Amino acid sequence: MTASDKTSGKLNTEANFHHAGEPVTRPYRAGDDLYEALIDSHQGLSDEQSQMLNARLILLLANHIGDLAVLRQALAAARESI
Amino acid sequence: MFNTYQPPVYDYQRSVDQQAGQIAHHPLIIVGAGPIGLAAGLDAGVQGMPALILDDNNTVSVGSRAVCYSKRALEVLDRLGCAGRMVEKGVCWKVGKMFFQDQLVSSFDLLPEAGYSQPAFINLQQYYLEEYMVDRAGELDQVEIRWQNRVSAVEQQGEQVVVSIETPDGPYQLSTDWLIVADGANSSVRSMMGLSMDGRVFRDRFLIADIIMKADFPSERWFSFDPSYHPGQSTLLHSQPDNVWRLDFQLGWDKDPEEEKKPENIIPRVKAMMGEAMEFELEWASVYTFMCRRMERFRHGRVIFAGDAAHQVSPFGARGANSGFQDSDNLIWKLRLVMQGLAPQQLIDSYCEEREFAADENLMNSTRATDFITPKSDVSLQFRNATLALAKQHDFARKLVNSGRLSDPAILSHSSLNTPDADPFDSPMLPGAVMEDAPIEGPKGEGWALQLVDHRFQLLCFCEDATRISAGELQQLSELAESEIPLRPLLVYRRGTPPAAIAAVHDSEGLMAQRYDGRDGSCFLIRPDQHLAARWRSLDCEAVRLALNTATCNL
Ligand SMILES: Cc1cc2nc3c(=O)[nH]c(=O)nc-3n(C[C@H](O)[C@H](O)[C@H](O)COP(=O)(O)OP(=O)(O)OC[C@H]3O[C@@H](n4cnc5c(N)ncnc54)[C@H](O)[C@@H]3O)c2cc1C
């Protein structure tokens, strides 16, 4: 993502998972690390608890992103063809 | 059930060692003539060491087993002198496509760049691979295979291992300095020694069917999630030589493997996938449940485990045999140095350090792929399907789609044999990684960088103009060549004429310089298994000697 993308508030849908400061030796690695952590975080939860976890997670990440323009695009992309 | 292949029969022959009351000695014995035992034997043979391989059977692996062999496996097999036939017979491929509900959602290209001696992947039935390896063993005087020699007991006695063997002529015993155990996932030697292999069993079943059909699909790997012809499950399609196609159907845990194996149940599945009109014959079919597990330690005294005997993965990503070849590649040069008295036994322990690390990476990737393909809970199924749905439009989700991360060469970046960088380099070829291949021109004409490596360590010295090498530098390099640990200095030059006193290759397309970040003066110390041990921006003989000692545990 370039700096101008940041100021223009465009949702980044290119692959962006990474380990800060580490060389990329396997292109799939950071994404798979995230995916596994995500699934693991639900380990042992009931469906209802899982839904609660997801809701909290969305709120945390949304606050981290902050920019409402970006968040509205993400909401629209997530809603598409459901 | 074979229509396209006639398995060879390797006759049992009584050996001179089978005399009552004597225990003949062999310096190196290998249990199992599967791909990994054979690779270990061939590697010993090409490095000039005698090796005796014992196998309980009298033919190659029968049935639907390994299909996909990676570039790295082929590079190893090329060093062993048998990749040529495999690539010629095999189906080369590099593109994988993933479909979700019949729509293409993601794809990968494993080798987007030219300039490598080996293809990204070939598909070849495991029996061909083994047959070619057995043929190659026949060309090496030092390698002997004894068929129908089943190892029935193993006992460590001091510095030796005594092996008991059953044959059609009755039992006999042998002793050896080192025993390599490559007798497969259900390793009987492992059980005899009371050792375990722990990990996970996946609660799912897969029907693997090899069919003969004339289809003109491109040679690509096609993985389908939730296709309309096999709802709620996944399938995989691969092309093999002789018009054989590998079909892989996820069945679910509740299916009865015996029922699913029956042709009357397989045929409708194949028709649903390939279309009613497609004509085909069944070649082979079996139902598998997959496991991901490894032994805690690969070495027990003078007994060393390799291949599936040491670690087992689910096949998504083709990390079984492909990682096993990296085991023997890693082990044999170390054993040779230890057996020649040029390195202490800690060097064998570094085999464990490096290959247990590699096994963990393979297990992690195979486990993650299997979890993506077989989600264990409702919420993980939901994340999986959300990823696939987003992948229709968004790049980031395409990269998350995991139908198996295909086997890659181990990057042993944390190995204690490496010398960490002191100078900055701009190349992903870190110490511990496999050296990059590239086209070169050598004294024997056009060739490949990887083929420069023989059983010695190599010191690749990059120079822009070979004419400008000084007498002093030549002197230093020839002194390095006198090291007790065999080391060959090799000049890699862009232009000029190298002096006759040193081995030299022309980096004809500049690809070596580019891939290694090999600027003028840079030196790369390469191990006999083609992994990078150390690199510098300029030649420093003391540093090279220290790195050589580090890479052989001679500190
Ligand atoms: C469905 C399926 C698909 C696969 N696909 C791939 C793939 O695409 N790519 C890939 O790289 N891998 C793949 N694999 C894995 C691959 O088949 C194995 O990793 C590979 O065969 C391991 O080789 P090995 O030599 O360690 O063991 P094995 O091939 O199991 O060989 C062991 C040998 O030891 C012998 N033996 C056993 N016990 C004794 C004894 N007591 N005395 C003497 N001899 C003995 C056996 O007869 C056998 O010859 C697949 C596996 C399966 C099941």
Side-chain angles (χ1 to χ4, degrees):
Chain A
M1 191 165 54
T2 62
S4 70
D5 281 341
K6 243 182 195 156
T7 48
S8 69
K10 193 172 169 311
L11 178 69
N12 180 13
T13 58
E14 298 296 306
N16 186 35
F17 298 115
H18 54 274
H19 292 285
E22 279 179 35
V24 179
T25 48
R26 313 279 192 214
Y28 52 83
R29 178 67 180 266
D32 287 1
D33 286 345
L34 175 273
Y35 196 88
E36 185 184 73
L38 198 52
I39 302 302
D40 283 353
S41 71
H42 287 270
Q43 189 87 47
L45 300 188
S46 67
D47 287 353
E48 209 175 316
Q49 289 170 320
S50 274
Q51 276 189 26
M52 178 52 90
L53 188 155
N54 283 339
R56 292 183 191 187
L57 184 62
I58 291 164
L59 292 170
L60 284 163
L61 296 176
N63 175 62
H64 182 82
I65 294 160
D67 183 344
L68 263 290
V70 173
L71 289 165
R72 288 214 164 87
Q73 292 165 60
L75 288 168
R79 172 113 195 187
E80 213 176 296
S81 60
I82 268 191
Chain B
M1 218 171 21
F2 276 124
N3 291 305
T4 61
Y5 182 73
Q6 191 59 47
V9 176
Y10 302 118
D11 290 326
Y12 161 76
Q13 279 176 338
R14 192 187 165 90
S15 90
V16 290
D17 294 341
Q18 287 168 259
Q19 284 169 30
Q22 77 157 28
I23 300 184
H25 186 79
H26 292 259
L28 175 60
I29 295 181
I30 298 161
V31 191
I36 310 316
L38 288 166
L42 292 179
D43 216 334
V46 299
Q47 298 193 40
M49 280 197 295
L52 173 63
I53 306 175
L54 305 172
D55 193 88
D56 60 352
N57 210 336
N58 66 347
T59 186
V60 292
S61 160
V62 172
S64 309
R65 293 183 72 203
V67 168
C68 311
Y69 301 100
S70 69
K71 170 171 163 289
R72 182 60 198 150
L74 293 167
E75 289 167 357
V76 172
L77 291 161
D78 191 41
R79 192 172 56 70
L80 305 182
C82 49
R85 257 178 109 185
M86 295 168 185
V87 175
E88 196 174 306
K89 176 76 186 177
V91 175
C92 294
W93 67 275
K94 60 180 192 144
V95 170
K97 290 187 176 151
M98 279 85 88
F99 302 83
F100 177 46
Q101 296 170 344
D102 307 337
Q103 189 182 338
L104 177 68
V105 290
S106 181
S107 64
F108 56 76
D109 182 342
L110 294 166
L111 200 61
E113 208 181 305
Y116 294 92
S117 59
Q118 303 301 329
F121 263 90
I122 63 163
N123 286 351
L124 182 70
Q125 292 88 326
Q126 183 163 337
Y127 39 78
Y128 281 117
L129 176 109
E130 292 184 14
E131 184 182 337
Y132 298 165
M133 295 181 84
V134 172
D135 288 350
R136 174 69 179 130
E139 297 170 3
L140 298 169
D141 293 339
Q142 309 258 52
V143 183
E144 182 187 352
I145 308 176
R146 292 189 189 164
W147 303 102
Q148 290 183 276
N149 272 240
R150 186 175 69 83
V151 172
S152 58
V154 161
E155 197 191 333
Q156 308 216 40
Q157 294 183 355
E159 299 294 278
Q160 291 192 350
V161 186
V162 174
V163 183
S164 302
I165 300 154
E166 303 281 346
T167 74
D169 284 330
Y172 72 109
Q173 287 189 314
L174 294 174
S175 67
T176 185
D177 299 325
W178 294 98
L179 186 73
I180 298 179
V181 180
D183 60 351
N186 298 318
S187 171
S188 47
V189 175
R190 200 178 59 220
S191 315
M192 288 168 210
M193 294 179 65
L195 300 167
S196 65
M197 177 145 98
D198 302 319
R200 273 178 65 186
V201 180
F202 294 93
R203 288 167 59 84
D204 203 345
R205 297 185 204 281
F206 292 83
L207 167 69
I208 311 257
D210 283 330
I211 65 169
I212 309 165
M213 67 174 177
K214 290 220 162 62
D216 51 7
F217 309 129
S219 45
E220 296 172 345
R221 175 188 194 264
W222 285 357
F223 195 101
S224 301
F225 294 95
D226 194 17
S228 55
Y229 57 81
H230 192 51
Q233 306 286 3
S234 64
T235 65
L236 175 62
L237 179 71
H238 261 300
S239 124
Q240 303 172 68
D242 305 336
N243 291 317
V244 176
W245 294 77
R246 163 69 52 93
L247 274 49
D248 188 331
F249 296 89
Q250 183 185 23
L251 296 174
W253 183 239
D254 55 338
K255 291 288 190 302
D256 178 349
E258 290 312 313
E259 281 301 306
E260 292 295 334
K261 251 187 273 190
K262 293 182 178 160
E264 66 262 34
N265 291 325
I266 299 172
I267 288 165
R269 293 204 186 281
V270 176
K271 284 196 165 161
M273 180 169 175
M274 304 318 311
E276 276 295 323
M278 183 67 80
E279 284 179 32
F280 66 89
E281 274 176 83
L282 275 184
E283 175 89 339
W284 195 275
S286 27
V287 174
Y288 289 92
T289 291
F290 297 126
M291 287 185 238
C292 279
R293 52 185 188 147
R294 80 157 165 94
M295 291 179 74
E296 195 182 327
R297 283 182 298 128
F298 292 179
R299 176 184 172 198
H300 291 265
R302 288 183 167 254
V303 180
I304 304 164
F305 290 82
D308 275 16
H311 45 75
Q312 188 182 7
V313 292
S314 73
F316 304 106
R319 287 169 180 267
N322 286 315
S323 69
F325 288 130
Q326 297 180 54
D327 289 346
S328 58
D329 187 46
N330 188 293
L331 175 60
I332 300 298
W333 68 271
K334 295 176 176 175
L335 260 184
R336 178 175 50 79
L337 287 180
V338 171
M339 290 169 86
Q340 289 174 336
L342 294 173
Q345 284 192 25
Q346 283 100 292
L347 191 57
I348 313 280
D349 292 328
S350 79
Y351 160 77
C352 301
E353 177 199 329
E354 295 185 336
R355 295 309 302 166
E356 287 165 7
F357 164 82
D360 284 341
E361 190 187 3
N362 287 316
L363 286 162
M364 181 183 78
N365 282 310
S366 299
T367 302
R368 286 175 171 183
T370 314
D371 282 341
F372 195 90
I373 293 163
T374 304
K376 288 189 307 294
S377 63
D378 287 347
V379 68
S380 54
L381 179 66
Q382 214 167 27
F383 272 112
R384 205 278 302 271
N385 289 346
T387 304
L388 289 165
L390 286 169
K392 291 178 184 169
Q393 293 199 25
H394 302 296
D395 172 73
F396 88 95
R398 270 169 224 145
K399 305 278 163 58
L400 287 178
V401 174
N402 188 351
S403 70
R405 304 299 186 193
L406 280 127
S407 176
D408 23 34
I411 302 174
L412 307 168
S413 49
H414 300 293
S415 168
S416 58
L417 303 190
N418 298 340
T419 297
D421 283 338
D423 306 324
F425 277 87
D426 182 18
S427 148
M429 201 180 93
L430 312 167
V434 177
M435 68 186 267
E436 286 276 340
D437 203 0
I440 48 119
E441 274 169 24
K444 289 185 239 150
E446 286 178 14
W448 297 96
L450 288 172
Q451 290 165 352
L452 297 170
V453 183
D454 54 20
H455 60 278
R456 292 171 285 187
F457 276 81
Q458 313 283 320
L459 185 69
L460 306 182
C461 305
F462 281 75
C463 76
E464 264 305 306
D465 185 350
T467 319
R468 285 178 40 203
I469 286 288
S470 71
E473 282 167 312
L474 273 183
Q475 177 62 28
Q476 282 186 315
L477 291 175
S478 68
E479 276 167 24
L480 279 175
E482 308 284 292
S483 312
E484 200 186 2
I485 311 286
L487 170 75
R488 178 172 73 152
L490 192 66
L491 215 57
V492 182
Y493 65 96
R494 282 292 284 147
R495 53 193 158 80
T497 316
I502 182 168
V505 292
H506 182 205
D507 183 13
S508 44
E509 296 178 29
L511 275 176
M512 277 193 85
Q514 185 191 317
R515 289 178 180 163
Y516 289 58
D517 185 17
R519 272 182 257 149
D520 192 44
S522 304
C523 298
F524 295 78
L525 181 65
I526 308 287
R527 313 187 332 188
D529 60 8
Q530 303 173 337
H531 282 258
L532 178 67
R535 55 185 177 178
W536 304 270
R537 280 294 177 205
S538 59
L539 177 64
D540 171 348
C541 292
E542 263 326 291
V544 174
R545 282 196 189 93
L546 188 60
L548 190 58
N549 287 340
T550 305
T552 52
C553 298
N554 275 311
L555 286 180

